[in-house]
Amino acid sequence: MVTGTGPTPYDLVIVGGGPAGCAAAVMAASVGLRSVLVERREPGDTLRRVPAVRNVLGFATGTAFADACAADLRQVAGSCDVLSGTTAAELHADGSGVTVRLAGPHPAGADSAGPDSAGRNPAGPDPAGPGRSVRGRYAIVATGVRAARPDEADWLAPAAVGPPAPLWEADAARLAGRRALVLGADRPLGTLLRAHPDTPLDLIVPHPPADAYKADEVRDDPRVTLLELGTLELRPAAGGRITAGGLGTFAPGTVFVNLGVRPAALPGSLVRSADGYCPPDLQHPRILTAGDLRSSRAQRIMTATGSGAEAALHAYYALRLTG
C-alpha cells in the first residue's frame, strides 16, 4: 500500500524508472530507506529500445539490462513500492520534504519521459489513484529526456507533415532493401547499425553541419549516406508518402526522426538551467536530480546508473544528519 499518502512519508520518492531511478531504488533499499518509485510505464521500458550497447558492464543489449533491473526491483519489493503506469504531474518541495502529485494511470501507447516493460509492479495497480499524491522526506527526479520533434529543429520545415516515428521504433528487417530517410544523425543511428550488422539497409541521413560530429561512428558504414544540409523542407505526398526537398519521396513507414532529445522535467519546484536541464546544484535541498535530466553531457546508461545510486546515498546521509 502507499504509506506516503498518510502522515508518515516515505524516506525517498523516486520519479522515473529508467537506469537512474532503478539504481536509486536498489541503493536506497540497501541502506534501509523506505522508498516509492513512480514510473509512467514499466521500470526499464526505455532500455528495451536499445538493441545493442557497448558501454555497459556485463550487458550487450538494453533488454538484458532491463530484465536485470526488473529482477533487482522484485528483490527489494519489501522496501520499495513501485507505482508503474502512473504519471507524476507535479513536484513541490518545502522545508520538511517533498510532495509528488499523481495524475493517475498513464495512457497505453503514449510516449514515456525517461532518459526510462521490464518486469512486474511489486505494488500492483496504482493504489494512490488519480489526483492523489505521495510524500517523501527527499525526492530523486530521474525523468530523463524525450525525443525532439521536427518542429523543434530549426533546420527542418515540416509543412503539414505529421511527426515521423522515432528511429528506435524502426524494424530493421522490414527496412531491408528499402530506401529510408532518417532525419538527424543522433546516437540511435549507430545503435541500429551495430545491432543489425548484416542487414542490407539504405539510409539517407540529412543533418545540420553542427551535428556532423555525431555521425563519426557511422561515417564509414556503406549503408548510410550522410548529407549536411542547412535546411530541409518536408511535404506530404500522395499515398501517405513524404517528399523531402531534393532528396526524393519516401514511402510510408520509411521516414524516421532522430534529432536528439529534450529534457523531460516535472512542473513545480524543479529549477531549470537556460537549456532546460535540471542540474543538481540548482535544486531545492530536498530535491536530487539524476540521470539524463541533469545535463546534455554524459547521457549514457552507465553514468545514469551511477548518478541514481549516488543520489540515494546523498539522501541517506542527509537523513542521518537531519532526520
Side-chain angles (χ1 to χ4, degrees), residues 13 15 54 75 145 158 197 202 226 249 265 291 303 306:
V13 178
V15 185
R54 62 182 183 185
Q75 291 293 322
V145 292
D202 181 12
L226 296 167
T249 299
T303 55

Coordinates of all heavy atoms in Angstrom, one line a residue, residues 13 15 54 75 145 158 197 202 226 249 265 291 303 306:
V13 N 11.1 9.6 -2.4 CA 10.2 9.4 -3.6 C 11.1 9.5 -4.8 O 11.8 10.5 -5.0 CB 9.1 10.5 -3.6 CG1 8.3 10.3 -4.9 CG2 8.2 10.4 -2.4
V15 N 11.1 9.5 -8.9 CA 10.3 9.7 -10.1 C 11.1 9.3 -11.3 O 12.1 10.0 -11.6 CB 9.8 11.2 -10.1 CG1 8.8 11.3 -11.3 CG2 9.1 11.6 -8.8
R54 N 27.4 -1.1 -26.0 CA 28.9 -1.5 -25.9 C 29.6 -0.7 -24.8 O 30.8 -0.8 -24.7 CB 29.6 -1.3 -27.2 CG 29.6 0.1 -27.7 CD 30.3 0.2 -29.1 NE 30.4 1.6 -29.5 CZ 30.9 1.9 -30.7 NH1 31.3 1.0 -31.6 NH2 31.0 3.2 -31.1
Q75 N 13.5 -7.9 -5.9 CA 14.2 -8.3 -4.7 C 14.1 -7.3 -3.6 O 14.2 -7.7 -2.4 CB 15.7 -8.5 -5.1 CG 16.1 -9.6 -6.0 CD 15.8 -11.0 -5.3 OE1 16.1 -11.1 -4.1 NE2 15.3 -11.9 -6.1
V145 N 14.8 12.2 -20.6 CA 14.6 13.1 -21.7 C 13.6 12.4 -22.6 O 13.2 11.3 -22.5 CB 15.9 13.2 -22.5 CG1 17.0 14.0 -21.7 CG2 16.5 11.9 -22.9
P158 N 8.8 21.1 -41.5 CA 7.9 20.0 -41.7 C 6.4 20.5 -42.0 O 5.5 20.3 -41.2 CB 7.9 19.3 -40.3 CG 8.2 20.4 -39.3 CD 9.0 21.4 -40.1
P197 N 24.3 -5.7 -38.1 CA 25.4 -5.5 -39.0 C 25.3 -6.1 -40.4 O 26.0 -5.7 -41.3 CB 26.6 -6.1 -38.2 CG 25.9 -7.2 -37.3 CD 24.6 -6.6 -36.9
D202 N 19.5 0.9 -46.5 CA 19.9 2.0 -47.3 C 19.3 3.3 -46.7 O 18.1 3.7 -46.9 CB 19.3 1.8 -48.7 CG 19.6 3.0 -49.7 OD1 20.5 3.8 -49.3 OD2 19.0 3.0 -50.8
L226 N 25.3 10.2 -45.6 CA 25.3 11.3 -44.7 C 25.3 12.6 -45.5 O 26.1 12.8 -46.4 CB 26.4 11.4 -43.7 CG 26.5 10.2 -42.7 CD1 27.9 10.2 -42.0 CD2 25.4 10.3 -41.7
T249 N 11.1 11.3 -52.7 CA 9.8 10.9 -52.0 C 10.0 9.6 -51.3 O 10.4 8.6 -52.0 CB 8.6 11.0 -52.9 OG1 8.5 12.3 -53.5 CG2 7.3 10.6 -52.2
A265 N 11.3 17.5 -17.7 CA 11.2 18.0 -16.3 C 9.8 18.1 -15.8 O 8.9 18.4 -16.6 CB 11.9 19.3 -16.2
G291 N 20.5 11.0 -13.6 CA 20.4 10.5 -14.9 C 20.4 11.6 -16.0 O 21.0 12.7 -15.8
T303 N 26.5 6.2 -16.7 CA 26.5 7.4 -15.9 C 25.2 7.7 -15.2 O 25.1 8.1 -14.1 CB 26.9 8.7 -16.7 OG1 26.0 8.8 -17.8 CG2 28.3 8.6 -17.2
G306 N 25.0 5.3 -12.1 CA 25.9 5.8 -11.0 C 25.3 7.0 -10.3 O 25.3 7.1 -9.1

